[in-house]
Amino acid sequence: MSDKKLPQDKDQYPTTGEPRETFEGHGFDDDRLQRVHAQLMREKEEPSEGFSPTPLFLVFVIMILAFWGGVYMVWYSGEFSAFHFDETKSAVVAEDTGPREVDMMALGRRVYAQNCQVCHQASGEGQRGVYPPVARADWVQDNPERLIKVVLHGLEGRVEVNGNTYNNAMQAFGRLNDQQVAAVLTYIRTDPDFGNDSYPVSPELVAQVRSDFDDRRNAWTQPELEDIHGPVTGDWSPPEGEEPEEEPDPAS
Amino acid sequence: MSFPSTLTEAMSPTAEPKSDLLAKLSEVDRSMKVLGVFFTVCGLLWLMAGTLFALVASIKMHNVDFLGDSEFWTWGRVRSAHLNAMIYGWAFNVSFAVAPWIMARLCRTRVRFTNIFLFGGIFWNIGVVIGVYGILAGHKVGVEWLEFPAYVTPILALAFAFIGVWVILLFRWRQTGHVYVSQWYFLAAFFWLPWLYAMAQIMIVHEPARGVVQSLTNWWFAHNVLGLWLTPIAVGAAYYLIPKVLGRPIYSYYLSVIGFWALALFYNWAGVHHLIGGPVPAWVISAGTVASVMMVIPVIVVAINHHMTVVGLHREGWASPTIRFVVFGAINYTAVSLLGSAMALRSVNEITHFTHFTVSHSHHGVYSFFTMIMFGGIYYMLPRLLNREWPSAMLISLHWWTTAVGVTLMVIVLAIGGFIQGLQLNAIDPETETAAFEFLEVMRATIPYMVMRSLTGVLITIGHVAFFINIIWMLSRRAADGSESKPTLLTPGA
Amino acid sequence: MEFGGYIILGAVFAGLLFLGAAAVLWWAYRDGQFSDLESGSRTIFDDEEEPEGAQTDFFPTKNPEDLDGPPRRGE
């Protein structure tokens, strides 16, 4: 309510130079003066309205944040490279040591947990009358090509596993890649927890079956598979001369 | 009183006859009457529609079959319809009501040529109707926050131009020397939003950028709608309403300058934290994280100003519906922002990302903070525009209690459920070194939280219905006459 | 658009925005916006209609001084 509050001259309209009619100046009678004065007095009394300097703690917060921000940027800059996504690793590429050996059992265990466990259970025992077992199962220890077909395209209709009959449907897992299919089958065929002791399956075999039955869309049935591979016996060994190198030797 | 007859004349500051230069607050209010009521009612209708979509989407989270046989009501559509109805319908409309009104009051000038403003508003709402319908009909764009089909965006852009220009014109017509902090916030918001929207539309929908640039743009936009549009509108409104209602100036006004500029400096960077873990250059994410944490500065400033202004006047504040809502919103602004800064840290984000925790956070922001402040704004604005009293104190109370309790419970329930969900998703079984929980298992574990969320949603819906009834009742009443108690507004004889 | 195109376009817009903000700050400073903040914070009040020191919002019918004008603190 004092002069200093008036806007500067250059802001005044109209441009004639006359001061703009301001709110404060309008009809400033005695009565009004009293009120304004009273108000000013009131304002003085309220200490909470004081304009203290920036609180010290705020200055500290700002300083600490700025420091932290700088450190963070330096640590996690990824060397400001446009093609570096992992902030915890150096952007300098490590020496290429060629493709890494894949642990088929570990991969298989993961594929199984993510895809098969829902139905066949962690124990591999399946569920009586609904999902056949993979543990100690004659199918699983039989011809791997049969299993590859089951996994790639699914299986439906009446199925006999370990002498029990199931009549359900298993979906196709064609979206798994060759290595994943080989790994999961190797895993269920050889893992001691499942009580199976058969031969591993190679990704090449999966690739071959996949391309041989490229245009197959519907699931297999047991009779169809038997037409190709003969009945399930649970006792299969690779044909002469084609035995995989790392074959576990049952004799020793 | 003579008004300048053409728009161009009005825009020239020397054209006005002197007696028109400075308007009384009640005159300002009167000039905003049609606009304020129009946008409030549109916003209100969208709020109700959005609430309905929200309930349906929420129920579907635990009862999947609910309305499952109707294509229109599939979850993917209802959820987006909810988001867009709430943001572009409710939040924008209510911003168009409250922000220009406060702006006009602070500029001490009447809103002129309101028909053009209104025209923009009508088109905006037509655009939103078509957009929401388009989403339900299956034409949506698959980008979060930009789901409106491409054919409505030009309508919206045009409508916003008409509205936004008015706010800038209002500022041009101002009759005051000092630019109050709320004006800074509003001006900036009305300048930032069209910029954001145009950029996002061009780079995502019309001339899509390729690769990660697209998702960067998406989250830059989505986060900035919150940070550079909703936040300044609500913070600006609170900066006006709190001191105004309590009759006590802002506690530490000069700090607000720091707060405003710190927001302007940091917020724009922060959106990238939505892409933590994505194939985005590491430094971009780091910059986003640092900026998100730096947001602590403006947040503390705003917190000091908002909370310290109220300190000591709690009893008085409790007697005012506006203050109840606004202070609730202000407290939640502090909470949600600090939480948000924490969530931008990589280690926290790894847990909370892709879980209901994020959903909790966004409701914390858009509802507990923004919407509650806007409710407060409407409770202050409407009696002044219409010159009548709110018809029912009971309904206001009901509205406050149900929404405050409802949204707080919802935020807590979702945060707890989401955090557990995140921990489970990340858990590794030490024996097999594979995921410890199946996805389905994790999802089932969230169901109880989803049920509770629906229940809190029902509570909030009750509040919205109370609000709806109160507004409609108020509009259908005649202006206050002497027999009634004087409304909240203080215009003796007006 | 190519990667380089984005960088250039982004830089141009970022520069414009930054300059814009700087210009606004400069204007505000020159205009004296920051020189008397104390009275600036009081510009929201209005001696006639909504004066400082008076609460201006109540639950309907709950205004304690309904008939004799706005209540003022400290009087």
Side-chain angles (χ1 to χ4, degrees):
Chain A
M1 323 298 146
S2 60
D3 282 348
K4 64 177 175 172
K5 236 196 101 181
L6 283 174
Q8 291 149 20
D9 278 346
K10 65 183 175 57
D11 299 319
Q12 300 291 313
Y13 328 124
T15 44
T16 53
E18 279 182 55
R20 173 167 60 169
E21 252 187 334
T22 62
F23 188 64
E24 295 83 15
H26 196 56
F28 215 72
D29 53 13
D30 273 2
D31 212 335
R32 179 89 184 274
L33 196 66
Q34 292 271 303
R35 259 194 291 147
V36 170
H37 183 71
Q39 190 186 334
L40 283 173
M41 295 310 287
R42 273 201 310 281
E43 285 164 14
K44 289 260 163 52
E45 286 163 10
E46 254 170 78
S48 60
E49 292 166 14
F51 289 85
S52 51
T54 313
L56 206 57
F57 95 90
L58 188 64
V59 178
F60 270 122
V61 169
I62 294 178
M63 273 163 49
I64 290 171
L65 283 177
F67 177 74
W68 173 86
V71 171
Y72 193 90
M73 273 321 282
V74 170
W75 274 357
Y76 296 130
S77 66
E79 265 116 86
F80 292 101
S81 149
F83 300 101
H84 195 66
F85 307 133
D86 185 345
E87 72 285 354
T88 58
K89 300 232 166 59
S90 159
V92 186
V93 183
E95 206 188 321
D96 188 355
T97 52
R100 278 199 302 149
E101 195 68 32
V102 177
D103 181 349
M104 291 296 264
M105 291 299 273
L107 178 61
R109 186 182 294 131
R110 186 156 81 222
V111 175
Y112 185 84
Q114 286 169 353
N115 299 288
C116 323
Q117 197 163 308
V118 214
C119 300
H120 294 290
Q121 306 299 310
S123 62
E125 297 293 353
Q127 208 170 339
R128 200 160 242 293
V130 190
Y131 302 121
V134 292
R136 285 175 293 280
D138 47 4
W139 277 65
V140 174
Q141 303 185 64
D142 208 277
N143 191 335
E145 289 187 41
R146 189 199 312 261
L147 300 181
I148 295 173
K149 293 193 177 90
V150 169
V151 173
L152 286 183
H153 306 116
L155 180 67
E156 65 186 14
R158 191 171 281 278
V159 166
E160 200 183 308
V161 181
N162 288 353
N164 299 322
T165 315
Y166 300 83
N167 194 352
N168 200 342
M170 168 173 152
Q171 81 214 60
F173 282 91
R175 64 182 160 78
L176 297 179
N177 66 25
D178 296 340
Q179 192 172 44
Q180 287 171 317
V181 173
V184 71
L185 289 178
T186 302
Y187 170 64
I188 60 174
R189 279 161 67 87
T190 63
D191 191 89
D193 287 352
F194 286 158
N196 291 332
D197 182 13
S198 188
Y199 298 86
V201 179
S202 69
E204 290 75 31
L205 189 62
V206 179
Q208 195 193 327
V209 175
R210 199 196 286 271
S211 71
D212 286 350
F213 295 90
D214 196 23
D215 42 8
R216 185 165 183 108
R217 290 286 164 270
N218 44 343
W220 295 93
T221 60
Q222 180 164 5
E224 261 183 302
L225 288 170
E226 279 177 356
D227 282 347
I228 307 175
H229 302 290
V232 179
T233 62
D235 178 25
W236 177 87
S237 47
E240 291 294 322
E242 286 181 29
E243 295 173 24
E245 293 144 38
E246 66 272 61
E247 167 202 344
D249 192 356
S252 64
Chain B
M1 242 181 271
S2 65
F3 287 102
S5 48
T6 68
L7 187 55
T8 33
E9 235 176 81
M11 283 166 66
S12 149
T14 50
E16 295 251 307
K18 259 206 240 165
S19 58
D20 281 348
L21 279 178
L22 198 85
K24 285 168 65 166
L25 289 181
S26 45
E27 287 172 345
V28 176
D29 293 349
R30 209 117 325 129
S31 73
M32 263 300 283
K33 181 174 170 179
V34 175
L35 285 174
V37 172
F38 172 79
F39 283 115
T40 307
V41 170
C42 288
L44 181 70
L45 294 176
W46 281 118
L47 180 72
M48 300 313 282
T51 311
L52 178 72
F53 294 140
L55 276 181
V56 172
S58 175
I59 293 174
K60 276 168 176 288
M61 294 293 279
H62 47 83
N63 280 46
V64 187
D65 311 339
F66 181 64
L67 292 179
D69 49 3
S70 154
E71 192 190 337
F72 251 60
W73 295 95
T74 41
W75 192 83
R77 296 184 188 181
V78 187
R79 195 262 183 198
S80 304
H82 160 64
L83 188 149
N84 285 275
M86 284 307 196
I87 297 300
Y88 298 100
W90 156 251
F92 272 69
N93 270 308
V94 75
S95 302
F96 294 155
V98 173
W101 171 68
I102 295 181
M103 188 67 153
R105 280 184 140 225
L106 287 171
C107 294
R108 294 295 167 98
T109 182
R110 263 173 258 102
V111 187
R112 276 154 263 191
F113 303 100
T114 47
N115 287 344
I116 305 181
F117 196 147
L118 193 65
F119 175 79
I122 291 170
F123 262 78
W124 178 268
N125 281 287
I126 292 177
V128 180
V129 171
I130 301 177
V132 171
Y133 177 81
I135 289 176
L136 290 175
H139 306 166
K140 80 172 191 185
V141 177
V143 179
E144 220 177 335
W145 287 81
L146 291 167
E147 286 103 334
F148 278 165
Y151 50 73
V152 297
T153 49
I155 311 182
L156 292 184
L158 200 71
F160 190 90
F162 279 108
I163 297 166
V165 160
W166 243 247
V167 173
I168 293 168
L169 276 184
L170 267 176
F171 187 70
R172 179 91 183 80
W173 291 328
R174 75 187 182 282
Q175 298 302 327
T176 45
H178 177 76
V179 181
Y180 188 67
V181 55
S182 303
Q183 286 168 294
W184 280 106
Y185 276 112
F186 292 156
L187 262 190
F190 275 89
F191 168 74
W192 282 327
L193 187 89
W195 164 263
L196 289 170
Y197 197 67
M199 272 323 225
Q201 284 297 333
I202 292 170
M203 288 184 66
I204 293 181
V205 181
H206 294 286
E207 190 64 40
R210 274 183 280 138
V212 285
V213 180
Q214 200 177 42
S215 32
L216 276 173
T217 317
N218 178 15
W219 286 110
W220 169 79
F221 169 76
H223 205 81
N224 282 351
V225 172
L226 294 168
L228 298 182
W229 169 247
L230 299 183
T231 300
I233 297 275
V235 168
Y239 259 122
Y240 181 75
L241 293 169
I242 294 178
K244 187 74 181 171
V245 173
L246 295 175
R248 170 198 271 182
I250 282 295
Y251 175 74
S252 194
Y253 184 66
Y254 77 103
L255 271 187
S256 64
V257 178
I258 303 179
F260 172 79
W261 287 99
L263 177 108
L265 186 61
F266 293 128
Y267 217 130
N268 174 42
W269 299 69
V272 199
H273 65 226
H274 283 268
L275 294 170
I276 289 175
V280 182
W283 73 268
V284 177
I285 300 218
S286 296
T289 303
V290 169
S292 308
V293 174
M294 287 299 172
M295 277 302 294
V296 168
I297 298 170
V299 168
I300 290 186
V301 165
V302 170
I304 292 177
N305 273 337
H306 286 177
H307 305 326
M308 295 308 284
T309 305
V310 186
V311 163
L313 293 180
H314 293 125
R315 254 168 49 92
E316 287 84 344
W318 190 247
S320 148
T322 306
I323 281 294
R324 275 202 208 176
F325 279 99
V326 174
V327 167
F328 182 90
I331 292 173
N332 278 294
Y333 176 62
T334 314
V336 74
S337 307
L338 295 180
L339 202 64
S341 295
M343 283 169 70
L345 296 172
R346 283 182 162 100
S347 46
V348 182
N349 195 278
E350 276 164 11
I351 302 172
T352 61
H353 203 181
F354 300 125
T355 70
H356 292 296
F357 199 94
T358 311
V359 182
S360 154
H361 182 64
S362 47
H363 285 85
H364 201 184
V366 178
Y367 200 102
S368 304
F369 157 52
F370 176 83
T371 296
M372 291 303 260
I373 289 187
M374 287 298 129
F375 283 148
I378 290 178
Y379 278 119
Y380 197 67
M381 178 180 77
L382 274 195
R384 285 168 172 72
L385 296 190
L386 296 167
N387 203 18
R388 26 190 124 143
E389 178 87 273
W390 283 100
S392 164
M394 191 277 281
L395 285 177
I396 301 180
S397 246
L398 182 68
H399 180 203
W400 191 81
W401 281 105
T402 47
T403 49
V405 172
V407 77
T408 306
L409 286 180
M410 177 195 284
V411 166
I412 292 175
V413 161
L414 286 179
I416 296 176
F419 205 78
I420 296 176
Q421 183 189 14
L423 290 176
Q424 289 186 337
L425 282 174
N426 291 356
I428 299 284
D429 186 335
E431 226 171 89
T432 55
E433 288 177 18
T434 55
F437 299 92
E438 278 165 40
F439 186 73
L440 212 64
E441 225 178 306
V442 178
M443 219 200 69
R444 285 216 184 91
T446 64
I447 290 181
Y449 298 101
M450 297 294 100
V451 175
M452 284 191 266
R453 194 255 297 267
S454 291
L455 293 179
T456 60
V458 171
L459 204 57
I460 294 175
T461 310
I462 295 174
H464 290 172
V465 171
F467 184 53
F468 183 84
I469 296 175
N470 222 359
I471 290 194
I472 300 301
W473 188 355
M474 181 178 196
L475 289 174
S476 56
R477 288 216 303 189
R478 270 198 276 109
D481 57 302
S483 65
E484 269 177 292
S485 82
K486 209 149 23 82
T488 44
L489 83 170
L490 297 164
T491 46
Chain C
M1 216 191 317
E2 282 310 308
F3 187 66
Y6 286 126
I7 300 271
I8 293 170
L9 201 72
V12 168
F13 277 120
L16 281 178
L17 270 182
F18 190 80
L19 285 181
V24 170
L25 252 180
W26 180 240
W27 168 83
Y29 173 72
R30 289 295 304 271
D31 196 52
Q33 288 294 335
F34 304 137
S35 58
D36 186 12
L37 290 169
E38 215 158 319
S39 53
S41 74
R42 293 185 160 78
T43 52
I44 59 169
F45 300 113
D46 177 323
D47 286 335
E48 280 177 19
E49 294 180 312
E50 293 169 348
E52 184 181 348
Q55 181 161 348
T56 57
D57 186 55
F58 298 92
F59 272 86
T61 73
K62 301 273 164 59
N63 187 336
E65 317 214 4
D66 234 346
L67 295 171
D68 32 16
R72 283 158 180 265
R73 275 196 306 279
E75 266 183 0

